[in-house]
Amino acid sequence: MAEVQDFDEINVQRINLREPDGRLRYVLANSARLPGAIIRGEEFRPHRSEAGMIFYSDEETENGGLVFAGKEGESGGALSFDAYEQDQVVQVIGHTTGSSMTAGLVVNEVPDTPMAEQIRMVEELRQRSDGDQVLDQMQSDGAFGRRRMFAGVKDGDAVVDLRDGEGRSRLRLKVTAGGAASIEFLDEDGEVLTRLAPSD
């Protein structure tokens, strides 16, 4: 029988929760000790700059977590859940920078390429002189996933933003801080095709 100990208070920089066979299932750590992306037991990226907790699958692959950070003029955090060997597909986020604030629920669509392959590809591209330019284009093309839905508050407006498979906003519901409500249908270039509002 495992020994049980009680503590009134404990100071620690990192806690690793493991299965009896040693598999990592959870990490709780400060900003200096939170690990980077761990996939099948291998750490690929440098540690994050935030504090928080990371969850791991039966195969020791990251599958979500809670991270948070804050300093003068900026504060935020995110709770996320990942697809199998992929990045986050669902996030609850809250972030403020100066007078700008975004908080809400985000749903992302992720590519078929496993996360480990994506990370290796990014590392290789960063060694090239044109690597940043190529990565920017790949990001724009959706190689690393696309946002499909946001529901929350952005700079005072309550918004539901629904996007197509290319990550383009196509339907937007909005209520301003002053109470003006509208529904907008957009084309692939982001131009409003039809706008419905009580005053229309």
Side-chain angles (χ1 to χ4, degrees):
M1 185 174 179
E3 182 180 357
V4 176
Q5 299 185 40
D6 295 325
F7 299 93
D8 291 328
E9 185 173 336
I10 181 170
N11 290 321
V12 62
Q13 294 193 48
R14 173 167 165 168
I15 295 174
N16 298 328
L17 177 67
R18 296 184 181 274
E19 296 289 358
D21 61 6
R23 285 175 296 144
L24 185 65
R25 298 306 301 269
Y26 165 91
V27 171
L28 172 65
N30 63 20
S31 59
R33 300 295 302 275
L34 198 67
I38 294 178
I39 301 172
R40 294 184 179 269
E42 180 181 356
E43 186 172 355
F44 282 80
R45 288 192 295 232
H47 78 271
R48 299 164 172 85
S49 59
E50 308 96 343
M53 59 184 75
I54 307 295
F55 314 124
Y56 300 93
S57 69
D58 294 351
E59 299 166 343
E60 286 191 292
T61 295
E62 181 178 325
N63 65 352
L66 170 66
V67 295
F68 50 91
K71 57 185 178 182
E72 185 176 356
E74 183 176 3
S75 181
L79 173 64
S80 63
F81 301 93
D82 301 345
Y84 180 71
E85 292 198 347
Q86 277 293 347
D87 214 344
Q88 56 263 16
V89 290
V90 177
Q91 298 171 279
V92 179
I93 62 171
H95 187 262
T96 59
T97 303
S99 60
S100 177
M101 186 273 284
T102 300
L105 173 68
V106 174
V107 178
N108 301 307
E109 190 169 49
V110 294
D112 295 329
T113 307
M115 179 62 71
E117 293 182 27
Q118 294 181 46
I119 293 173
R120 291 190 184 100
M121 179 173 55
V122 169
E123 290 175 345
E124 291 174 4
L125 284 170
R126 283 182 173 155
Q127 303 304 313
R128 293 171 37 175
S129 59
D130 65 341
D132 289 341
Q133 182 180 353
V134 174
L135 285 170
D136 286 345
Q137 186 60 53
M138 292 177 67
Q139 180 74 43
S140 178
D141 293 340
F144 307 113
R146 297 188 189 277
R147 179 173 291 189
R148 295 299 307 276
M149 190 271 286
F150 170 79
V153 175
K154 183 173 178 60
D155 295 336
D157 294 336
V159 178
V160 176
D161 182 23
L162 304 179
R163 304 185 178 191
D164 62 19
E166 299 299 316
R168 299 170 300 204
S169 295
R170 303 305 290 268
L171 175 62
R172 184 182 299 133
L173 290 74
K174 181 166 66 174
V175 179
T176 68
S182 63
I183 302 173
E184 296 177 340
F185 299 86
L186 301 92
D187 65 14
E188 61 185 20
D189 296 319
E191 298 295 328
V192 177
L193 296 172
T194 304
R195 184 178 187 274
L196 303 176
S199 60
D200 293 346

